[in-house]
């Protein structure tokens, strides 16, 4: 049992799109699908309240337990473990979104939260933290939880992203990246991977060398945001024609 909590892990290296990875992605996909299947039930006030508070608690427990685990293992580092990666920051923001039911926060989270979390679960940086290590489970619970939180706001509250909010999110993400870049210089860190590519396999491997991959990543972000917005654009076009 101890080996599932060790840092560094002595398990086999995480393999991208292995059976365990694909099964985990499949479970998250099924849960997202069930949100839409059960959307009428989730619109009832009592069930909606229970779900959003339960999901918020799950995200808090997951995030806090991760940092407590690092501290216990004497592995927490200011250069690596501050919640400055976008996919880590949105876990915290998802909790506030669920508790406050903020439409403005949802407008940001739908693009930044969904986009970064989907990328995180597709190309996770887990080194030797393979299943069933604690870090593997915590990683997919937190990032999968963000995806569920964003889609829950769509299904249960009928919140909708807008094209304007998409470009506001792009602007905010770029401003945030500039601040993080300055912090990386100060701390000697690599949050948001603005200083160099991650050592494990990632999307950045296909986007050119530093610093050009930052420009390529900008284009990928815009394209992914348009893809996330497309279902609502298509629905609106269809309703307009009808």
């Amino acid at each position: 049992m101890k080996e599932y909590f060790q840092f560094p892990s002595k398990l086999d290296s995480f393999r991208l799109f292995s059976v365990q990875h694909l099964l985990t992605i499949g479970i998250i996909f099924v849960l997202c699908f069930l949100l839409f299947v059960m959307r009428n039930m989730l619109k009832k006030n009592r069930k909606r309240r229970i779900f959003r508070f339960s999901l918020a608690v799950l995200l808090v427990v997951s995030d806090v337990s991760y940092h407590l685990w690092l501290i216990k293992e004497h592995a927490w580092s200011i250069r690596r473990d501050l919640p400055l990666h976008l996919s880590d920051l949105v876990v915290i923001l998802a909790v506030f979104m669920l508790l406050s039911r903020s439409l403005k926060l949802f407008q940001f989270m739908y693009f930044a939260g969904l986009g970064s979390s989907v990328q995180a679960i597709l190309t996770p940086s887990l080194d030797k933290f393979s299943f069933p290590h604690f870090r593997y489970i915590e990683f997919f619970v937190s990032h999968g939880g963000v995806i569920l939180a964003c889609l829950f706001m769509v299904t249960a509250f009928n919140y909708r992203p807008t094209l304007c909010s998409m470009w506001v999110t792009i602007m905010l993400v770029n401003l945030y990246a500039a601040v993080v870049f300055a912090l990386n210089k100060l701390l000697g860190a690599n949050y948001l991977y603005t200083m160099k590519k991650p050592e494990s396999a990632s999307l950045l491997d296909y986007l050119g060398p530093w610093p050009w991959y930052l420009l390529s990543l900008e284009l990928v972000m815009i394209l992914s945001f348009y893809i996330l917005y497309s279902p609502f654009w298509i629905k609106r076009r269809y309703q307009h024609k009808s």
Side-chain angles (χ1 to χ4, degrees):
M1 194 67 174
K2 184 180 178 181
E3 62 182 323
Y4 302 143
F5 291 89
Q6 283 183 322
F7 188 103
S9 172
K10 295 181 180 179
L11 300 178
D12 294 334
S13 297
F14 171 82
R15 289 188 297 113
L16 199 64
F17 302 128
S18 61
V19 173
Q20 292 92 338
H21 186 204
L22 290 175
L23 282 174
T24 304
I25 293 173
I27 290 171
I28 295 172
F29 176 81
V30 169
L31 291 174
C32 292
F33 178 74
L34 288 175
L35 277 180
F36 288 91
V37 172
M38 304 171 64
R39 61 184 179 276
N40 290 330
M41 184 185 73
L42 290 173
K43 288 178 181 178
K44 297 177 181 178
N45 285 333
R46 184 172 179 273
K47 290 182 172 61
R48 186 166 61 182
R49 184 167 58 252
I50 291 172
F51 187 93
R52 68 186 181 91
F53 277 106
S54 298
L55 185 53
V57 169
L58 178 65
L59 288 171
V60 170
V61 170
S62 175
D63 202 44
V64 171
S65 64
Y66 169 63
H67 289 279
L68 289 176
W69 166 67
L70 286 176
I71 292 170
K72 181 180 180 298
E73 294 293 315
H74 307 289
W76 196 93
S77 169
I78 194 172
R79 294 182 176 181
R80 185 191 61 235
D81 300 311
L82 291 173
L84 294 178
H85 283 296
L86 188 59
S87 59
D88 295 330
L89 176 65
V90 295
V91 176
I92 299 171
L93 294 179
V95 175
F96 284 102
M97 179 183 69
L98 289 166
L99 296 179
S100 67
R101 297 174 292 177
S102 170
L103 177 58
K104 289 183 178 180
L105 185 52
F106 164 80
Q107 298 283 358
F108 174 83
M109 284 293 294
Y110 180 81
F111 295 108
L114 268 184
S116 61
S117 295
V118 168
Q119 182 185 335
I121 67 170
L122 289 178
T123 57
S125 179
L126 286 173
D127 299 320
K128 289 194 172 185
F129 297 119
S130 54
F131 183 83
H133 197 281
F134 162 78
R135 172 55 175 157
Y136 179 97
I137 297 171
E138 182 278 331
F139 180 92
F140 284 101
V141 166
S142 60
H143 295 303
V146 171
I147 295 173
L148 288 172
C150 293
L151 296 182
F152 170 72
M153 304 307 285
V154 171
T155 56
F157 289 95
N158 291 322
Y159 284 180
R160 298 291 184 264
T162 65
L163 196 59
C164 178
S165 67
M166 185 191 80
W167 286 105
V168 169
T169 301
I170 291 170
M171 180 188 69
L172 290 174
V173 170
N174 278 283
L175 289 174
Y176 177 69
V179 172
V180 170
F181 180 82
L183 286 173
N184 283 337
K185 285 282 191 180
L186 180 65
L187 298 173
N190 190 32
Y191 294 111
L192 290 184
Y193 304 118
T194 60
M195 314 307 289
K196 63 179 181 179
K197 297 180 182 181
E199 295 180 3
S200 56
S202 74
L203 176 65
L204 300 183
D205 293 336
Y206 305 97
L207 300 182
W210 188 94
W212 302 110
Y213 71 77
L214 298 175
L215 179 60
S216 300
L217 190 60
E218 178 83 8
L219 298 176
V220 169
M221 177 179 68
I222 294 172
L223 176 61
S224 65
F225 285 6
Y226 265 111
I227 292 172
L228 289 172
Y229 179 70
S230 62
F232 299 96
W233 180 82
I234 293 170
K235 184 178 180 180
R236 285 167 184 162
R237 292 279 294 182
Y238 177 78
Q239 289 175 339
H240 180 69
K241 287 182 179 180
S242 298

